[in-house]
Amino acid sequence: MTGEPVISLRGVTAELGSRPVLRGIDLAVHRGEVVALLGANGSGKSTAIRTIVGQVPAGGDIALFGTPRRTFRDWSRVGYVPQRTTAAGGVPATVTEVVSAGRLSRTRFGLFRKADHAAVRHALDLVGMADRARDNVEALSGGQHQRVLIARALVAEPELLIMDEPMAGVDLASQEILAGTLREQVRQGTTVLLVLHELGPLEPLIDRAVVLRDGCVLHDGPPPRAVGQHALPGHDHVHPHDRHTPLRTGLLS
């Protein structure tokens, strides 16, 4: 790829408590790419995402749209969907109120104009939640919560979409809706970085897979063809009933 990366990580390190989680990773995501971060639980996928958005202190160099993250201020260009959280965060709110919160960065002094209200309606349409606009988010299923969170990220019309396990705990119907929503964003040129446990229905959209293991980049290239842990580079598949071969821990074991 040519041109300035939308996301650039160089020699990035991070610790949680006193435990090293990222051990000097390099990662570049260019405009229009869809890149999946794969790896076992504890490999550093979510930590890498959280260093990019500034939620976890990190060493090394991180840049967004060519600007060092420590001085980057134009967050309306970035849509972020966090991992395994509820849409309201325990605060009573309607679906429309939650999604509207994602539009505030595009408003002046928090005042909504006609275009802002239209953007909220459009975001709800994209994720198939327009019919639940006035409902309290506490009444939603897990898959519907996730769809609202994605609508909140999309309502600001970001150039870069960062998603942490968007399909985790989501029913099949919602997975298909979310895949269709993401397909539309990619068609419009949105750059996407997402953490996945496996590719699933998003597989046709993925340009590159970056596999992490023990806080290091194990693979950066074409996504694995098969779905699931046995497809990932570095996975050691040893059957436990083979008495002559010691059982080894693979990438996702």
Side-chain angles (χ1 to χ4, degrees):
M1 301 292 291
T2 59
E4 189 75 47
V6 173
I7 300 173
S8 175
L9 278 65
R10 296 181 181 177
V12 170
T13 60
E15 296 183 353
L16 294 180
S18 58
R19 181 175 67 89
V21 178
L22 301 180
R23 304 171 185 268
I25 69 171
D26 296 332
L27 172 66
V29 180
H30 290 80
R31 190 173 299 277
E33 272 195 303
V34 181
V35 177
L37 278 179
L38 306 174
N41 291 337
S43 61
K45 305 185 303 294
S46 292
T47 300
I49 290 286
R50 294 174 67 200
T51 64
I52 294 169
V53 298
Q55 292 183 348
V56 172
D61 298 319
I62 301 175
L64 293 166
F65 298 97
T67 300
R69 195 211 57 206
R70 64 181 179 277
T71 60
F72 183 78
R73 297 291 179 267
D74 199 1
W75 289 103
S76 64
R77 301 175 73 183
V78 182
Y80 173 52
V81 181
Q83 181 187 46
R84 295 188 185 95
T85 185
T86 60
V91 178
T94 67
V95 168
T96 294
E97 287 170 340
V98 171
V99 175
S100 295
R103 185 69 183 183
L104 289 173
S105 61
R106 290 283 191 182
T107 65
R108 295 191 63 185
F109 310 113
L111 299 176
F112 274 60
R113 300 182 179 183
K114 184 181 295 186
D116 300 309
H117 291 294
V120 172
R121 291 193 297 270
H122 179 60
L124 288 172
D125 280 334
L126 282 174
V127 299
M129 292 294 291
D131 61 331
R132 305 296 300 271
R134 296 184 179 181
D135 292 357
N136 192 297
V137 291
E138 296 301 328
L140 303 181
S141 68
Q144 290 168 335
H145 271 277
Q146 193 71 349
R147 285 151 66 179
V148 171
L149 290 171
I150 291 173
R152 185 180 68 180
L154 294 178
V155 73
E157 302 170 55
E159 299 172 50
L160 168 64
L161 187 59
I162 299 174
M163 310 171 78
D164 194 350
E165 297 214 31
M167 298 298 192
V170 175
D171 58 273
L172 183 59
S174 289
Q175 286 188 29
E176 295 296 338
I177 290 172
L178 296 181
T181 300
L182 193 57
R183 188 179 305 114
E184 175 63 18
Q185 297 307 302
V186 172
R187 188 187 68 80
Q188 295 178 12
T190 305
T191 304
V192 182
L193 173 65
L194 67 166
V195 169
L196 294 174
H197 181 65
E198 58 182 35
L199 300 181
L202 298 181
E203 182 175 8
L205 299 176
I206 307 301
D207 296 312
R208 262 172 57 224
V210 177
V211 181
L212 300 184
R213 182 164 67 183
D214 297 328
C216 300
V217 174
L218 178 66
H219 167 84
D220 185 343
R225 291 184 180 178
V227 174
Q229 61 184 17
H230 300 297
L232 298 180
H235 178 77
D236 295 322
H237 188 152
V238 180
H239 292 284
H241 55 264
D242 185 347
R243 293 181 300 169
H244 303 291
T245 305
L247 183 64
R248 293 182 291 169
T249 301
L251 180 61
L252 291 183
S253 301

